[in-house]
PDB file of all heavy atoms in Angstrom:
ATOM      1  N   VAL C  71      34.757  73.148 138.039  1.00 97.00           N
ATOM      2  CA  VAL C  71      33.679  72.358 137.426  1.00 97.00           C
ATOM      3  C   VAL C  71      32.559  73.273 136.946  1.00 97.00           C
ATOM      4  O   VAL C  71      31.988  73.075 135.868  1.00 97.00           O
ATOM      5  CB  VAL C  71      33.147  71.302 138.411  1.00 97.00           C
ATOM      6  CG1 VAL C  71      31.879  70.646 137.868  1.00 97.00           C
ATOM      7  CG2 VAL C  71      34.196  70.243 138.676  1.00 97.00           C
ATOM      8  N   LYS C  72      32.257  74.291 137.731  1.00 96.00           N
ATOM      9  CA  LYS C  72      31.193  75.218 137.340  1.00 96.00           C
ATOM     10  C   LYS C  72      31.552  75.922 136.034  1.00 96.00           C
ATOM     11  O   LYS C  72      30.694  76.097 135.160  1.00 96.00           O
ATOM     12  CB  LYS C  72      30.948  76.244 138.441  1.00 96.00           C
ATOM     13  CG  LYS C  72      29.768  77.181 138.139  1.00 96.00           C
ATOM     14  CD  LYS C  72      29.393  78.038 139.332  1.00 96.00           C
ATOM     15  CE  LYS C  72      28.180  78.897 138.995  1.00 96.00           C
ATOM     16  NZ  LYS C  72      27.711  79.687 140.147  1.00 96.00           N
ATOM     17  N   ARG C  73      32.807  76.309 135.883  1.00 95.00           N
ATOM     18  CA  ARG C  73      33.244  76.919 134.626  1.00 95.00           C
ATOM     19  C   ARG C  73      33.072  75.937 133.472  1.00 95.00           C
ATOM     20  O   ARG C  73      32.626  76.319 132.379  1.00 95.00           O
ATOM     21  CB  ARG C  73      34.701  77.369 134.712  1.00 95.00           C
ATOM     22  CG  ARG C  73      35.192  78.044 133.424  1.00 95.00           C
ATOM     23  CD  ARG C  73      36.623  78.528 133.525  1.00 95.00           C
ATOM     24  NE  ARG C  73      37.567  77.417 133.598  1.00 95.00           N
ATOM     25  CZ  ARG C  73      38.895  77.578 133.531  1.00 95.00           C
ATOM     26  NH1 ARG C  73      39.425  78.792 133.416  1.00 95.00           N
ATOM     27  NH2 ARG C  73      39.696  76.542 133.609  1.00 95.00           N
ATOM     28  N   GLN C  74      33.401  74.667 133.692  1.00 95.00           N
ATOM     29  CA  GLN C  74      33.248  73.651 132.652  1.00 95.00           C
ATOM     30  C   GLN C  74      31.782  73.479 132.268  1.00 95.00           C
ATOM     31  O   GLN C  74      31.442  73.344 131.082  1.00 95.00           O
ATOM     32  CB  GLN C  74      33.825  72.318 133.145  1.00 95.00           C
ATOM     33  CG  GLN C  74      33.812  71.206 132.107  1.00 95.00           C
ATOM     34  CD  GLN C  74      34.368  69.915 132.655  1.00 95.00           C
ATOM     35  OE1 GLN C  74      34.130  69.562 133.808  1.00 95.00           O
ATOM     36  NE2 GLN C  74      35.124  69.197 131.831  1.00 95.00           N
ATOM     37  N   VAL C  75      30.892  73.512 133.261  1.00 91.00           N
ATOM     38  CA  VAL C  75      29.457  73.413 132.995  1.00 91.00           C
ATOM     39  C   VAL C  75      28.997  74.594 132.158  1.00 91.00           C
ATOM     40  O   VAL C  75      28.240  74.433 131.183  1.00 91.00           O
ATOM     41  CB  VAL C  75      28.663  73.337 134.322  1.00 91.00           C
ATOM     42  CG1 VAL C  75      27.166  73.480 134.067  1.00 91.00           C
ATOM     43  CG2 VAL C  75      28.959  72.030 135.038  1.00 91.00           C
ATOM     44  N   TYR C  76      29.442  75.796 132.514  1.00 90.00           N
ATOM     45  CA  TYR C  76      29.083  76.976 131.739  1.00 90.00           C
ATOM     46  C   TYR C  76      29.564  76.839 130.297  1.00 90.00           C
ATOM     47  O   TYR C  76      28.806  77.115 129.350  1.00 90.00           O
ATOM     48  CB  TYR C  76      29.683  78.241 132.358  1.00 90.00           C
ATOM     49  CG  TYR C  76      29.437  79.477 131.530  1.00 90.00           C
ATOM     50  CD1 TYR C  76      28.261  80.206 131.672  1.00 90.00           C
ATOM     51  CD2 TYR C  76      30.350  79.893 130.571  1.00 90.00           C
ATOM     52  CE1 TYR C  76      28.011  81.326 130.889  1.00 90.00           C
ATOM     53  CE2 TYR C  76      30.118  81.015 129.787  1.00 90.00           C
ATOM     54  CZ  TYR C  76      28.951  81.724 129.951  1.00 90.00           C
ATOM     55  OH  TYR C  76      28.703  82.825 129.166  1.00 90.00           O
ATOM     56  N   ASP C  77      30.815  76.411 130.109  1.00 91.00           N
ATOM     57  CA  ASP C  77      31.376  76.262 128.763  1.00 91.00           C
ATOM     58  C   ASP C  77      30.550  75.295 127.921  1.00 91.00           C
ATOM     59  O   ASP C  77      30.217  75.574 126.762  1.00 91.00           O
ATOM     60  CB  ASP C  77      32.825  75.759 128.835  1.00 91.00           C
ATOM     61  CG  ASP C  77      33.783  76.817 129.354  1.00 91.00           C
ATOM     62  OD1 ASP C  77      33.409  78.005 129.378  1.00 91.00           O
ATOM     63  OD2 ASP C  77      34.912  76.450 129.739  1.00 91.00           O
ATOM     64  N   THR C  78      30.209  74.152 128.516  1.00 90.00           N
ATOM     65  CA  THR C  78      29.437  73.136 127.790  1.00 90.00           C
ATOM     66  C   THR C  78      28.055  73.655 127.433  1.00 90.00           C
ATOM     67  O   THR C  78      27.585  73.505 126.296  1.00 90.00           O
ATOM     68  CB  THR C  78      29.317  71.846 128.625  1.00 90.00           C
ATOM     69  OG1 THR C  78      30.620  71.330 128.874  1.00 90.00           O
ATOM     70  CG2 THR C  78      28.484  70.800 127.897  1.00 90.00           C
ATOM     71  N   CYS C  79      27.382  74.282 128.400  1.00 86.00           N
ATOM     72  CA  CYS C  79      26.029  74.795 128.152  1.00 86.00           C
ATOM     73  C   CYS C  79      26.044  75.888 127.082  1.00 86.00           C
ATOM     74  O   CYS C  79      25.161  75.938 126.215  1.00 86.00           O
ATOM     75  CB  CYS C  79      25.429  75.327 129.441  1.00 86.00           C
ATOM     76  SG  CYS C  79      24.976  74.050 130.633  1.00 86.00           S
ATOM     77  N   LYS C  80      27.052  76.743 127.118  1.00 83.00           N
ATOM     78  CA  LYS C  80      27.132  77.819 126.134  1.00 83.00           C
ATOM     79  C   LYS C  80      27.456  77.264 124.745  1.00 83.00           C
ATOM     80  O   LYS C  80      26.851  77.664 123.744  1.00 83.00           O
ATOM     81  CB  LYS C  80      28.191  78.837 126.547  1.00 83.00           C
ATOM     82  CG  LYS C  80      28.276  80.036 125.603  1.00 83.00           C
ATOM     83  CD  LYS C  80      29.309  81.048 126.083  1.00 83.00           C
ATOM     84  CE  LYS C  80      29.404  82.224 125.120  1.00 83.00           C
ATOM     85  NZ  LYS C  80      30.420  83.215 125.560  1.00 83.00           N
ATOM     86  N   ASN C  81      28.403  76.329 124.686  1.00 85.00           N
ATOM     87  CA  ASN C  81      28.829  75.783 123.390  1.00 85.00           C
ATOM     88  C   ASN C  81      27.729  74.950 122.725  1.00 85.00           C
ATOM     89  O   ASN C  81      27.685  74.836 121.501  1.00 85.00           O
ATOM     90  CB  ASN C  81      30.089  74.937 123.558  1.00 85.00           C
ATOM     91  CG  ASN C  81      31.304  75.775 123.909  1.00 85.00           C
ATOM     92  OD1 ASN C  81      31.335  76.970 123.642  1.00 85.00           O
ATOM     93  ND2 ASN C  81      32.300  75.162 124.525  1.00 85.00           N
ATOM     94  N   THR C  82      26.870  74.347 123.529  1.00 84.00           N
ATOM     95  CA  THR C  82      25.763  73.565 122.971  1.00 84.00           C
ATOM     96  C   THR C  82      24.497  74.403 122.831  1.00 84.00           C
ATOM     97  O   THR C  82      23.434  73.890 122.490  1.00 84.00           O
ATOM     98  CB  THR C  82      25.463  72.344 123.859  1.00 84.00           C
ATOM     99  OG1 THR C  82      25.163  72.786 125.193  1.00 84.00           O
ATOM    100  CG2 THR C  82      26.649  71.396 123.896  1.00 84.00           C
ATOM    101  N   ARG C  83      24.638  75.698 123.143  1.00 76.00           N
ATOM    102  CA  ARG C  83      23.530  76.650 123.053  1.00 76.00           C
ATOM    103  C   ARG C  83      22.369  76.287 123.967  1.00 76.00           C
ATOM    104  O   ARG C  83      21.216  76.609 123.689  1.00 76.00           O
ATOM    105  CB  ARG C  83      23.044  76.774 121.599  1.00 76.00           C
ATOM    106  CG  ARG C  83      24.122  77.307 120.655  1.00 76.00           C
ATOM    107  CD  ARG C  83      23.596  77.502 119.262  1.00 76.00           C
ATOM    108  NE  ARG C  83      24.662  78.018 118.381  1.00 76.00           N
ATOM    109  CZ  ARG C  83      24.498  78.306 117.099  1.00 76.00           C
ATOM    110  NH1 ARG C  83      23.301  78.135 116.529  1.00 76.00           N
ATOM    111  NH2 ARG C  83      25.498  78.763 116.375  1.00 76.00           N
ATOM    112  N   TYR C  84      22.704  75.596 125.055  1.00 70.00           N
ATOM    113  CA  TYR C  84      21.680  75.260 126.038  1.00 70.00           C
ATOM    114  C   TYR C  84      21.268  76.503 126.819  1.00 70.00           C
ATOM    115  O   TYR C  84      20.150  76.606 127.297  1.00 70.00           O
ATOM    116  CB  TYR C  84      22.193  74.178 126.997  1.00 70.00           C
ATOM    117  CG  TYR C  84      21.164  73.689 127.983  1.00 70.00           C
ATOM    118  CD1 TYR C  84      20.164  72.803 127.586  1.00 70.00           C
ATOM    119  CD2 TYR C  84      21.175  74.124 129.304  1.00 70.00           C
ATOM    120  CE1 TYR C  84      19.201  72.368 128.490  1.00 70.00           C
ATOM    121  CE2 TYR C  84      20.226  73.692 130.212  1.00 70.00           C
ATOM    122  CZ  TYR C  84      19.240  72.813 129.798  1.00 70.00           C
ATOM    123  OH  TYR C  84      18.293  72.384 130.690  1.00 70.00           O
ATOM    124  N   ILE C  85      22.212  77.440 126.959  1.00 67.00           N
ATOM    125  CA  ILE C  85      21.907  78.695 127.636  1.00 67.00           C
ATOM    126  C   ILE C  85      22.314  79.853 126.738  1.00 67.00           C
ATOM    127  O   ILE C  85      23.135  79.705 125.835  1.00 67.00           O
ATOM    128  CB  ILE C  85      22.643  78.839 128.981  1.00 67.00           C
ATOM    129  CG1 ILE C  85      24.162  78.810 128.780  1.00 67.00           C
ATOM    130  CG2 ILE C  85      22.207  77.784 129.962  1.00 67.00           C
ATOM    131  CD1 ILE C  85      24.939  79.150 130.035  1.00 67.00           C
ATOM    132  N   SER C  86      21.729  80.996 126.996  1.00 63.00           N
ATOM    133  CA  SER C  86      22.118  82.206 126.298  1.00 63.00           C
ATOM    134  C   SER C  86      23.501  82.634 126.768  1.00 63.00           C
ATOM    135  O   SER C  86      23.847  82.452 127.938  1.00 63.00           O
ATOM    136  CB  SER C  86      21.109  83.321 126.594  1.00 63.00           C
ATOM    137  OG  SER C  86      21.655  84.588 126.281  1.00 63.00           O
ATOM    138  N   PRO C  87      24.317  83.212 125.886  1.00 52.00           N
ATOM    139  CA  PRO C  87      25.617  83.720 126.328  1.00 52.00           C
ATOM    140  C   PRO C  87      25.496  84.853 127.335  1.00 52.00           C
ATOM    141  O   PRO C  87      26.476  85.237 127.957  1.00 52.00           O
ATOM    142  CB  PRO C  87      26.269  84.207 125.029  1.00 52.00           C
ATOM    143  CG  PRO C  87      25.139  84.443 124.080  1.00 52.00           C
ATOM    144  CD  PRO C  87      24.113  83.400 124.447  1.00 52.00           C
ATOM    145  N   TYR C  88      24.273  85.379 127.494  1.00 52.00           N
ATOM    146  CA  TYR C  88      24.053  86.465 128.438  1.00 52.00           C
ATOM    147  C   TYR C  88      23.550  85.963 129.792  1.00 52.00           C
ATOM    148  O   TYR C  88      23.290  86.749 130.686  1.00 52.00           O
ATOM    149  CB  TYR C  88      23.066  87.476 127.850  1.00 52.00           C
ATOM    150  CG  TYR C  88      23.522  88.003 126.518  1.00 52.00           C
ATOM    151  CD1 TYR C  88      22.933  87.578 125.343  1.00 52.00           C
ATOM    152  CD2 TYR C  88      24.580  88.919 126.429  1.00 52.00           C
ATOM    153  CE1 TYR C  88      23.374  88.046 124.106  1.00 52.00           C
ATOM    154  CE2 TYR C  88      25.030  89.393 125.202  1.00 52.00           C
ATOM    155  CZ  TYR C  88      24.425  88.955 124.048  1.00 52.00           C
ATOM    156  OH  TYR C  88      24.861  89.410 122.835  1.00 52.00           O
ATOM    157  N   GLU C  89      23.401  84.653 129.934  1.00 62.00           N
ATOM    158  CA  GLU C  89      22.981  84.074 131.208  1.00 62.00           C
ATOM    159  C   GLU C  89      24.023  84.381 132.288  1.00 62.00           C
ATOM    160  O   GLU C  89      25.222  84.342 132.033  1.00 62.00           O
ATOM    161  CB  GLU C  89      22.810  82.558 131.050  1.00 62.00           C
ATOM    162  CG  GLU C  89      22.438  81.840 132.330  1.00 62.00           C
ATOM    163  CD  GLU C  89      21.129  82.346 132.908  1.00 62.00           C
ATOM    164  OE1 GLU C  89      20.089  82.123 132.296  1.00 62.00           O
ATOM    165  OE2 GLU C  89      21.192  82.981 133.971  1.00 62.00           O
ATOM    166  N   THR C  90      23.567  84.711 133.486  1.00 70.00           N
ATOM    167  CA  THR C  90      24.504  85.082 134.550  1.00 70.00           C
ATOM    168  C   THR C  90      24.515  84.115 135.726  1.00 70.00           C
ATOM    169  O   THR C  90      25.446  84.130 136.518  1.00 70.00           O
ATOM    170  CB  THR C  90      24.163  86.481 135.097  1.00 70.00           C
ATOM    171  OG1 THR C  90      22.818  86.479 135.619  1.00 70.00           O
ATOM    172  CG2 THR C  90      24.294  87.525 134.013  1.00 70.00           C
ATOM    173  N   LEU C  91      23.523  83.276 135.865  1.00 80.00           N
ATOM    174  CA  LEU C  91      23.442  82.414 137.037  1.00 80.00           C
ATOM    175  C   LEU C  91      24.582  81.403 137.087  1.00 80.00           C
ATOM    176  O   LEU C  91      24.986  80.970 138.167  1.00 80.00           O
ATOM    177  CB  LEU C  91      22.089  81.690 137.069  1.00 80.00           C
ATOM    178  CG  LEU C  91      20.862  82.590 137.237  1.00 80.00           C
ATOM    179  CD1 LEU C  91      19.590  81.755 137.224  1.00 80.00           C
ATOM    180  CD2 LEU C  91      20.949  83.394 138.528  1.00 80.00           C
ATOM    181  N   LEU C  92      25.101  81.007 135.932  1.00 87.00           N
ATOM    182  CA  LEU C  92      26.238  80.094 135.882  1.00 87.00           C
ATOM    183  C   LEU C  92      27.556  80.837 135.723  1.00 87.00           C
ATOM    184  O   LEU C  92      28.605  80.216 135.575  1.00 87.00           O
ATOM    185  CB  LEU C  92      26.077  79.083 134.733  1.00 87.00           C
ATOM    186  CG  LEU C  92      25.089  77.949 134.951  1.00 87.00           C
ATOM    187  CD1 LEU C  92      24.978  77.082 133.700  1.00 87.00           C
ATOM    188  CD2 LEU C  92      25.511  77.081 136.146  1.00 87.00           C
ATOM    189  N   GLY C  93      27.518  82.160 135.768  1.00 91.00           N
ATOM    190  CA  GLY C  93      28.721  82.942 135.572  1.00 91.00           C
ATOM    191  C   GLY C  93      28.808  83.455 134.149  1.00 91.00           C
ATOM    192  O   GLY C  93      27.871  83.320 133.357  1.00 91.00           O
ATOM    193  N   SER C  94      29.958  84.042 133.798  1.00 89.00           N
ATOM    194  CA  SER C  94      30.154  84.548 132.450  1.00 89.00           C
ATOM    195  C   SER C  94      31.644  84.800 132.221  1.00 89.00           C
ATOM    196  O   SER C  94      32.454  84.696 133.144  1.00 89.00           O
ATOM    197  CB  SER C  94      29.381  85.861 132.232  1.00 89.00           C
ATOM    198  OG  SER C  94      30.021  86.927 132.907  1.00 89.00           O
ATOM    199  N   TYR C  95      31.970  85.159 131.001  1.00 88.00           N
ATOM    200  CA  TYR C  95      33.351  85.485 130.665  1.00 88.00           C
ATOM    201  C   TYR C  95      33.595  86.992 130.577  1.00 88.00           C
ATOM    202  O   TYR C  95      34.626  87.411 130.069  1.00 88.00           O
ATOM    203  CB  TYR C  95      33.757  84.795 129.360  1.00 88.00           C
ATOM    204  CG  TYR C  95      34.239  83.383 129.595  1.00 88.00           C
ATOM    205  CD1 TYR C  95      33.330  82.332 129.677  1.00 88.00           C
ATOM    206  CD2 TYR C  95      35.586  83.099 129.763  1.00 88.00           C
ATOM    207  CE1 TYR C  95      33.752  81.038 129.910  1.00 88.00           C
ATOM    208  CE2 TYR C  95      36.022  81.810 129.999  1.00 88.00           C
ATOM    209  CZ  TYR C  95      35.097  80.776 130.072  1.00 88.00           C
ATOM    210  OH  TYR C  95      35.523  79.494 130.309  1.00 88.00           O
ATOM    211  N   GLU C  96      32.678  87.775 131.068  1.00 74.00           N
ATOM    212  CA  GLU C  96      32.886  89.214 131.219  1.00 74.00           C
ATOM    213  C   GLU C  96      33.448  89.873 129.954  1.00 74.00           C
ATOM    214  O   GLU C  96      34.414  90.626 129.996  1.00 74.00           O
ATOM    215  CB  GLU C  96      33.868  89.502 132.360  1.00 74.00           C
ATOM    216  CG  GLU C  96      33.480  88.919 133.691  1.00 74.00           C
ATOM    217  CD  GLU C  96      34.446  89.344 134.794  1.00 74.00           C
ATOM    218  OE1 GLU C  96      35.643  89.023 134.724  1.00 74.00           O
ATOM    219  OE2 GLU C  96      33.989  90.011 135.726  1.00 74.00           O
ATOM    220  N   GLU C  97      32.853  89.564 128.816  1.00 64.00           N
ATOM    221  CA  GLU C  97      33.382  90.110 127.557  1.00 64.00           C
ATOM    222  C   GLU C  97      33.502  91.625 127.582  1.00 64.00           C
ATOM    223  O   GLU C  97      34.422  92.205 127.002  1.00 64.00           O
ATOM    224  CB  GLU C  97      32.502  89.685 126.374  1.00 64.00           C
ATOM    225  CG  GLU C  97      32.622  88.215 125.987  1.00 64.00           C
ATOM    226  CD  GLU C  97      31.695  87.309 126.784  1.00 64.00           C
ATOM    227  OE1 GLU C  97      31.072  87.799 127.748  1.00 64.00           O
ATOM    228  OE2 GLU C  97      31.578  86.113 126.449  1.00 64.00           O
ATOM    229  N   LYS C  98      32.582  92.309 128.280  1.00 63.00           N
ATOM    230  CA  LYS C  98      32.584  93.769 128.302  1.00 63.00           C
ATOM    231  C   LYS C  98      33.135  94.335 129.614  1.00 63.00           C
ATOM    232  O   LYS C  98      33.023  95.523 129.870  1.00 63.00           O
ATOM    233  CB  LYS C  98      31.161  94.287 128.069  1.00 63.00           C
ATOM    234  CG  LYS C  98      30.599  93.913 126.693  1.00 63.00           C
ATOM    235  CD  LYS C  98      29.213  94.480 126.495  1.00 63.00           C
ATOM    236  CE  LYS C  98      28.655  94.105 125.124  1.00 63.00           C
ATOM    237  NZ  LYS C  98      27.286  94.646 124.917  1.00 63.00           N
ATOM    238  N   ASN C  99      33.735  93.465 130.443  1.00 64.00           N
ATOM    239  CA  ASN C  99      34.258  93.934 131.716  1.00 64.00           C
ATOM    240  C   ASN C  99      35.465  94.836 131.511  1.00 64.00           C
ATOM    241  O   ASN C  99      36.371  94.506 130.748  1.00 64.00           O
ATOM    242  CB  ASN C  99      34.641  92.737 132.588  1.00 64.00           C
ATOM    243  CG  ASN C  99      35.039  93.134 133.994  1.00 64.00           C
ATOM    244  OD1 ASN C  99      36.157  93.546 134.248  1.00 64.00           O
ATOM    245  ND2 ASN C  99      34.100  93.009 134.918  1.00 64.00           N
ATOM    246  N   GLU C 100      35.487  95.977 132.185  1.00 69.00           N
ATOM    247  CA  GLU C 100      36.571  96.939 132.016  1.00 69.00           C
ATOM    248  C   GLU C 100      37.855  96.502 132.717  1.00 69.00           C
ATOM    249  O   GLU C 100      38.948  96.891 132.326  1.00 69.00           O
ATOM    250  CB  GLU C 100      36.140  98.313 132.544  1.00 69.00           C
ATOM    251  CG  GLU C 100      34.995  98.938 131.749  1.00 69.00           C
ATOM    252  CD  GLU C 100      34.583 100.285 132.308  1.00 69.00           C
ATOM    253  OE1 GLU C 100      35.178 100.694 133.333  1.00 69.00           O
ATOM    254  OE2 GLU C 100      33.685 100.919 131.733  1.00 69.00           O
ATOM    255  N   GLN C 101      37.731  95.665 133.756  1.00 76.00           N
ATOM    256  CA  GLN C 101      38.917  95.262 134.505  1.00 76.00           C
ATOM    257  C   GLN C 101      39.594  94.029 133.903  1.00 76.00           C
ATOM    258  O   GLN C 101      40.780  94.068 133.562  1.00 76.00           O
ATOM    259  CB  GLN C 101      38.547  94.970 135.962  1.00 76.00           C
ATOM    260  CG  GLN C 101      38.217  96.199 136.781  1.00 76.00           C
ATOM    261  CD  GLN C 101      37.998  95.844 138.245  1.00 76.00           C
ATOM    262  OE1 GLN C 101      37.792  94.684 138.602  1.00 76.00           O
ATOM    263  NE2 GLN C 101      38.040  96.853 139.101  1.00 76.00           N
ATOM    264  N   ILE C 102      38.840  92.939 133.778  1.00 86.00           N
ATOM    265  CA  ILE C 102      39.403  91.671 133.299  1.00 86.00           C
ATOM    266  C   ILE C 102      38.488  91.107 132.210  1.00 86.00           C
ATOM    267  O   ILE C 102      37.617  90.284 132.478  1.00 86.00           O
ATOM    268  CB  ILE C 102      39.528  90.632 134.429  1.00 86.00           C
ATOM    269  CG1 ILE C 102      40.266  91.206 135.622  1.00 86.00           C
ATOM    270  CG2 ILE C 102      40.241  89.383 133.919  1.00 86.00           C
ATOM    271  CD1 ILE C 102      41.763  91.313 135.455  1.00 86.00           C
ATOM    272  N   PRO C 103      38.656  91.514 130.961  1.00 86.00           N
ATOM    273  CA  PRO C 103      37.785  90.990 129.902  1.00 86.00           C
ATOM    274  C   PRO C 103      38.084  89.530 129.564  1.00 86.00           C
ATOM    275  O   PRO C 103      39.226  89.075 129.673  1.00 86.00           O
ATOM    276  CB  PRO C 103      38.105  91.912 128.715  1.00 86.00           C
ATOM    277  CG  PRO C 103      39.500  92.388 128.974  1.00 86.00           C
ATOM    278  CD  PRO C 103      39.614  92.520 130.460  1.00 86.00           C
ATOM    279  N   ASN C 104      37.035  88.802 129.192  1.00 91.00           N
ATOM    280  CA  ASN C 104      37.160  87.421 128.713  1.00 91.00           C
ATOM    281  C   ASN C 104      37.757  86.468 129.741  1.00 91.00           C
ATOM    282  O   ASN C 104      38.483  85.527 129.394  1.00 91.00           O
ATOM    283  CB  ASN C 104      37.974  87.384 127.420  1.00 91.00           C
ATOM    284  CG  ASN C 104      37.371  88.241 126.330  1.00 91.00           C
ATOM    285  OD1 ASN C 104      36.170  88.151 126.039  1.00 91.00           O
ATOM    286  ND2 ASN C 104      38.179  89.115 125.739  1.00 91.00           N
ATOM    287  N   THR C 105      37.460  86.688 130.997  1.00 94.00           N
ATOM    288  CA  THR C 105      37.898  85.797 132.076  1.00 94.00           C
ATOM    289  C   THR C 105      36.665  85.329 132.844  1.00 94.00           C
ATOM    290  O   THR C 105      35.812  86.139 133.199  1.00 94.00           O
ATOM    291  CB  THR C 105      38.883  86.522 133.010  1.00 94.00           C
ATOM    292  OG1 THR C 105      40.106  86.739 132.306  1.00 94.00           O
ATOM    293  CG2 THR C 105      39.175  85.708 134.256  1.00 94.00           C
ATOM    294  N   TYR C 106      36.589  84.032 133.116  1.00 94.00           N
ATOM    295  CA  TYR C 106      35.401  83.471 133.763  1.00 94.00           C
ATOM    296  C   TYR C 106      35.252  84.003 135.187  1.00 94.00           C
ATOM    297  O   TYR C 106      36.207  84.024 135.970  1.00 94.00           O
ATOM    298  CB  TYR C 106      35.469  81.947 133.801  1.00 94.00           C
ATOM    299  CG  TYR C 106      34.284  81.330 134.495  1.00 94.00           C
ATOM    300  CD1 TYR C 106      33.040  81.285 133.873  1.00 94.00           C
ATOM    301  CD2 TYR C 106      34.392  80.833 135.787  1.00 94.00           C
ATOM    302  CE1 TYR C 106      31.935  80.751 134.519  1.00 94.00           C
ATOM    303  CE2 TYR C 106      33.303  80.294 136.442  1.00 94.00           C
ATOM    304  CZ  TYR C 106      32.072  80.254 135.799  1.00 94.00           C
ATOM    305  OH  TYR C 106      30.977  79.730 136.453  1.00 94.00           O
ATOM    306  N   SER C 107      34.042  84.404 135.502  1.00 94.00           N
ATOM    307  CA  SER C 107      33.754  84.914 136.838  1.00 94.00           C
ATOM    308  C   SER C 107      32.291  84.676 137.172  1.00 94.00           C
ATOM    309  O   SER C 107      31.484  84.337 136.297  1.00 94.00           O
ATOM    310  CB  SER C 107      34.052  86.416 136.916  1.00 94.00           C
ATOM    311  OG  SER C 107      33.142  87.122 136.102  1.00 94.00           O
ATOM    312  N   CYS C 108      31.963  84.864 138.430  1.00 95.00           N
ATOM    313  CA  CYS C 108      30.563  84.720 138.845  1.00 95.00           C
ATOM    314  C   CYS C 108      30.267  85.642 140.019  1.00 95.00           C
ATOM    315  O   CYS C 108      30.944  85.595 141.047  1.00 95.00           O
ATOM    316  CB  CYS C 108      30.259  83.279 139.240  1.00 95.00           C
ATOM    317  SG  CYS C 108      28.492  82.977 139.517  1.00 95.00           S
TER     318      CYS C 108
END
């Protein structure tokens, strides 16, 4: 559910894509890029 909340908030631009409190998709992560984590 938390991932779904992050997706909705990001897609509606309610939060910055750089917000970390709701997690992120680690676009620049060296281990697992583009995977939701917190």
